Amino acid sequence: MNIRLRINGKWITFTVKPDEFLLDTLRNNQIISVKKGCDGSTCGSCTILLNNQPVLACSLLSVRADESTILTVEGHAEEVEKIAVAFGKEGADQCGFCNPGMALMIIALKQSHKNPTDDEIKHYMVGNLCRCSGYQAQFKAIKRYLEERL
Amino acid sequence: MQITEYYKAATVEDAYQRLNLDSSNAILGGALWLKQTSKPIQTAIDLSALKLNVIKQESAYFEIGSMVTLSQLYDADSLHQMTDNLLKESLASIMGVAFRNMATVGGSVIGRFAFSDLITPLLVLQAELVFYHQGQMRLTAFLDQKKPPKDILISVRIPTIKGRAFFKKVSNTVLDFSILNLAIFKHESVLIGVGARPGIGTLAQAMMDYLNHADKIDETVINEAVEIGLQTIQLSHNQRAQKAYRKQVLKTYLKRGLIEVMNCEH
Ligand SMILES: Cc1cc2nc3c(=O)[nH]c(=O)nc-3n(C[C@H](O)[C@H](O)[C@H](O)COP(=O)(O)OP(=O)(O)OC[C@H]3O[C@@H](n4cnc5c(N)ncnc54)[C@H](O)[C@@H]3O)c2cc1C
Ligand code: FES
Ligand code: FES
């Protein structure tokens, strides 16, 4: 089946199988910033923005994304750069595998909450796991980014 | 998950006909659970063109379309005002935002998951299910069906009854399945639901009967009600918790929850 996706501003046509998931469609076509962690909707590494909403690409059938707008970190380079600076300043980076999914989640958080409280930040980010960190440095980095102390 | 054919239904009748054409045809909700399953699907039927992703407020009930996502339900503020945030709290305990943007109410109900954090509060809110073929039935009746017929869930109806509520999910980690969940809803009478026992959510009928016939509610009556609950609610063990642990947890939260919703001094 053919589907058409607007990925980071560019329309691309893909041929997909009925049981193909969007994460595989993207990664098989060199969009590899979207990470495959658990492949079972539990870790958040594969988070993308679909029509501006965060979803898990590992569990979204590609056919269902037909004619949608998709943003990965490459499509949000400016914001992602700021998030990276905040992460660096707080020492929140380790292996970095969880970062692309987390960055997109942080962008979605900023878009949906004006001044999120600490609890709102934690609640919003709970689905993004990091196997390296203890989350404290990332939490501080998210606050730094939202408060624009870069 | 293996799918041979993907089919986007044009009408509910069309979806129903397709569903019943082959025993291995299946409806797609958010497909998050289906993804974890290994039984091959001949035709996966997508309902997303059927406008079932809407929440409507009628005078007697809220109508929640089966394709409404858990996030949409989480944002249904007038429903949460009526139910003292019961559903909102239970939904907040289910995975993260990106997950809830995909998982549907229909899939969560039809899945009849024993660990469900949604079914337990829906039980105490006296939810009714509207099926395309079977018509309207109580959620309790659906859960009692041994092998439900292949049908399409159109919506879930929640009667507009204002009340006080308590919800508790107990789990080993924040994102894990429940070891036990508990929902209490009090309006003229009190309803108590317990899920992940590890059996599927059920109403604590004997306990509810006792409380709803008591002349007054005080701590002695609550203690007695909790004892009745512990004797009559079936608990068991699985890899997440022992029966004895569940019993202790249930005892604590039943008492805490009842004191909270019954507005009674501790
Ligand atoms: C990793 C993971 C963790 C989870 N953790 C929790 C948790 O902590 N607490 C909790 O309560 N839940 C949890 N769940 C369950 C989740 O919240 C959903 O209930 C579940 O994914 C089903 O919803 P879905 O939209 O994905 O349904 P699907 O997977 O699409 O469908 C589930 C079943 O319902 C059928 N179906 C779907 N819609 C209809 C319809 N309209 N009419 C007829 N049949 C239909 C499908 O054919 C299928 O048999 C978890 C699920 C996963 C995958
Ligand atoms: S890879 Fe999708 S949630 Fe883990
Ligand atoms: S930094 Fe390694 S998984 Fe998060």
Side-chain angles (χ1 to χ4, degrees):
Chain A
M1 308 172 76
N2 281 346
I3 60 163
R4 206 169 70 116
L5 306 174
R6 187 164 181 257
I7 302 176
N8 300 325
K10 199 169 144 201
W11 284 103
I12 308 178
T13 301
F14 299 93
T15 302
V16 297
K17 297 193 209 107
D19 49 8
E20 184 170 325
F21 287 93
L22 188 57
L23 177 59
D24 296 317
T25 307
L26 296 174
R27 288 188 62 84
N28 291 341
N29 289 281
Q30 307 316 314
I31 301 162
I32 52 172
S33 66
V34 192
K35 301 294 181 216
K36 186 179 268 193
C38 65
D39 200 20
S41 48
T42 57
C43 75
S45 307
C46 64
T47 303
I48 54 158
L49 300 184
L50 179 86
N51 302 328
N52 248 353
Q53 296 295 317
V55 296
L56 304 169
C58 72
S59 300
L60 179 68
L61 286 167
S62 303
V63 282
R64 293 182 114 180
D66 190 20
E67 294 297 315
S68 299
T69 296
I70 288 167
L71 280 169
T72 66
V73 284
E74 292 87 345
H76 261 303
E78 214 172 291
E79 287 306 299
V80 171
E81 175 66 28
K82 290 184 195 166
I83 292 170
V85 170
F87 268 54
K89 288 202 170 151
E90 294 294 347
D93 263 329
Q94 288 192 43
C95 80
F97 191 81
C98 62
N99 286 7
M102 231 178 239
L104 290 165
M105 209 60 201
I106 297 166
I107 290 167
L109 165 72
K110 193 178 175 188
Q111 284 170 355
S112 60
H113 293 68
K114 267 230 160 72
N115 288 306
T117 61
D118 289 4
D119 278 349
E120 281 170 338
I121 295 173
K122 287 178 189 167
H123 179 67
Y124 204 85
M125 298 302 300
V126 75
N128 288 72
L129 303 186
C130 171
R131 65 185 177 169
C132 304
S133 80
Y135 298 106
Q136 268 314 307
Q138 287 161 336
F139 176 64
K140 285 186 193 156
I142 294 170
K143 288 194 67 156
R144 182 182 273 275
Y145 162 72
L146 293 173
E147 290 160 11
E148 296 190 27
R149 286 184 287 115
L150 298 172
Chain B
M1 183 188 191
Q2 272 178 57
I3 300 174
T4 308
E5 184 196 10
Y6 166 84
Y7 184 74
K8 198 162 189 171
T11 62
V12 181
E13 171 65 20
D14 179 27
Y16 182 74
Q17 292 299 338
R18 271 285 163 143
L19 179 63
N20 283 289
L21 220 54
D22 187 308
S23 62
S24 53
N25 290 357
I27 301 288
L28 296 172
L32 293 164
W33 191 262
L34 279 172
K35 182 177 182 196
Q36 316 284 332
T37 60
S38 52
K39 193 175 157 218
I41 296 173
Q42 175 58 36
T43 305
I45 303 156
D46 193 341
L47 307 181
S48 57
L50 308 184
K51 300 194 170 68
L52 299 176
N53 59 342
V54 183
I55 302 176
K56 288 188 226 150
Q57 184 172 2
E58 307 289 352
S59 58
Y61 51 81
F62 279 86
E63 176 127 45
I64 303 159
S66 61
M67 291 298 281
V68 163
T69 64
L70 302 189
S71 288
Q72 280 177 276
L73 190 56
Y74 182 84
D75 290 334
D77 289 338
S78 42
L79 174 62
H80 302 317
Q81 266 165 26
M82 183 186 80
T83 60
D84 194 15
N85 284 326
L86 175 59
L87 283 172
K88 191 162 185 147
E89 279 186 36
S90 79
L91 291 164
S93 76
I94 302 174
M95 304 299 285
V97 174
F99 181 97
R100 294 197 296 268
N101 281 343
M102 302 172 75
T104 62
V105 170
S108 301
V109 171
I110 297 295
R112 310 212 294 184
F113 306 112
F115 56 77
S116 175
D117 300 310
L118 185 61
I119 286 181
T120 312
L122 286 178
L123 277 171
V124 301
L125 294 173
Q126 297 172 279
E128 303 256 342
L129 310 182
V130 182
F131 284 98
Y132 181 63
H133 190 68
Q134 298 169 90
Q136 190 165 337
M137 71 168 79
R138 284 234 153 151
L139 172 58
T140 44
F142 170 67
L143 296 179
D144 284 344
Q145 285 182 337
K146 284 243 151 62
K147 194 171 181 289
K150 275 198 149 193
D151 203 345
I152 294 174
L153 180 67
I154 304 288
S155 64
V156 176
R157 285 184 181 170
I158 297 179
T160 41
I161 302 171
K162 204 170 162 57
R164 295 194 61 179
F166 175 87
F167 178 81
K168 181 71 192 175
K169 167 176 180 166
V170 181
S171 57
N172 283 325
T173 65
V174 178
L175 297 183
D176 204 355
F177 294 127
S178 284
I179 283 174
L180 193 92
N181 58 41
L182 170 66
I184 307 178
F185 190 62
K186 160 97 172 63
H187 47 104
E188 278 164 13
S189 49
V190 64
L191 289 107
I192 303 160
V194 183
R197 302 168 290 120
I200 193 153
T202 183
L203 289 173
Q205 200 59 55
M207 212 181 154
M208 285 160 36
D209 289 345
Y210 176 76
L211 284 167
N212 290 327
H213 289 103
D215 292 334
K216 59 170 186 159
I217 301 289
D218 59 18
E219 199 172 346
T220 315
V221 173
I222 286 181
N223 284 338
E224 181 58 26
V226 170
E227 268 318 303
I228 293 171
L230 294 176
Q231 280 163 30
T232 52
I233 299 164
Q234 266 196 7
L235 300 174
S236 181
H237 70 274
N238 64 356
Q239 79 271 31
R240 286 199 167 71
Q242 294 296 319
K243 180 176 174 178
Y245 182 73
R246 284 197 163 88
K247 202 165 177 176
Q248 283 304 319
V249 166
L250 182 61
K251 184 177 178 182
T252 304
Y253 288 111
L254 270 177
K255 183 163 180 185
R256 204 173 284 179
L258 284 171
I259 286 174
E260 202 173 302
V261 300
M262 297 297 203
N263 219 357
C264 122
E265 291 295 317
H266 187 27

